[in-house]
Amino acid sequence: MQLTAYTDYTLRVLIYLGMQASGEKSNIKEISSFYNISNNHLSKVVYELGKLGMIETVRGRNGGIRLAKDPDQINIGAIVRHTESPINLVECFDETRNTCKLSPACKLKFVLNEALNSYLKVLDGYTLEDLLQNREELKTLF
């Protein structure tokens, strides 16, 4: 399974904001420059994270963005589910577009669904805080 760039960027934004000092604000331009990702892509990510209540946006002269929750309250599995939804590994996962002739008797879809559920269960066991456990090492990269 491969995550979309959108999910990748979402997780990177969360890690970046999680590395900021408590209450410190950042901005899209700064994050964009750090990761060498377009402002437009990150604007969409930041907008969605704001709608989800994961980040707080502050307008004005001293504005910026920061985490709205503690890192230990941001579940990685939930983020991936939201940004990847729906997760259709194969055509038959989407009943409205499924044209596979094997679907009625196929066992592959059950195997892949089990694998997907296991994958998501692992991600559910982690929070943003877990991804920031090596803060000192990460600081050298920032």
Side-chain angles (χ1 to χ4, degrees):
M1 180 172 169
Q2 182 175 349
L3 296 176
T4 61
Y6 185 81
T7 299
D8 179 22
Y9 297 164
T10 299
L11 294 170
R12 288 195 216 185
V13 167
L14 290 171
I15 290 169
Y16 189 95
L17 295 176
M19 285 299 297
Q20 304 303 305
S22 182
E24 184 178 330
K25 292 179 288 245
S26 186
N27 60 58
I28 292 170
K29 185 177 178 182
E30 182 182 307
I31 298 169
S32 171
S33 176
F34 179 77
Y35 286 124
N36 197 26
I37 299 171
S38 96
N39 281 342
N40 289 340
H41 283 71
L42 288 185
S43 293
K44 294 173 188 172
V45 165
V46 165
Y47 175 75
E48 193 63 32
L49 285 170
K51 280 182 22 182
L52 284 174
M54 297 295 149
I55 65 170
E56 175 182 39
T57 57
V58 179
R59 295 191 183 273
R61 183 180 177 130
N62 294 316
I65 56 176
R66 61 182 166 220
L67 292 179
K69 297 181 174 190
D70 290 334
D72 65 347
Q73 299 299 308
I74 299 175
N75 183 271
I76 302 304
I79 296 295
V80 169
R81 276 185 185 83
H82 181 79
T83 57
E84 292 289 324
S85 185
I87 303 175
N88 293 325
L89 294 181
V90 287
E91 180 183 320
C92 61
F93 277 33
D94 182 353
E95 291 180 16
T96 61
R97 294 185 175 177
N98 184 17
T99 60
C100 180
K101 295 185 184 289
L102 300 177
S103 238
C106 184
K107 297 296 181 191
L108 177 62
K109 63 184 170 189
F110 299 106
V111 172
L112 292 174
N113 191 54
E114 182 180 352
L116 175 61
N117 288 333
S118 295
Y119 173 78
L120 292 170
K121 185 177 179 180
V122 169
L123 294 177
D124 286 339
Y126 291 92
T127 65
L128 179 57
E129 180 63 33
D130 295 317
L131 304 183
L132 301 172
Q133 288 298 306
N134 59 335
R135 275 185 173 85
E136 292 306 315
E137 187 178 356
L138 286 169
K139 280 181 187 177
T140 65
L141 302 174
F142 278 80

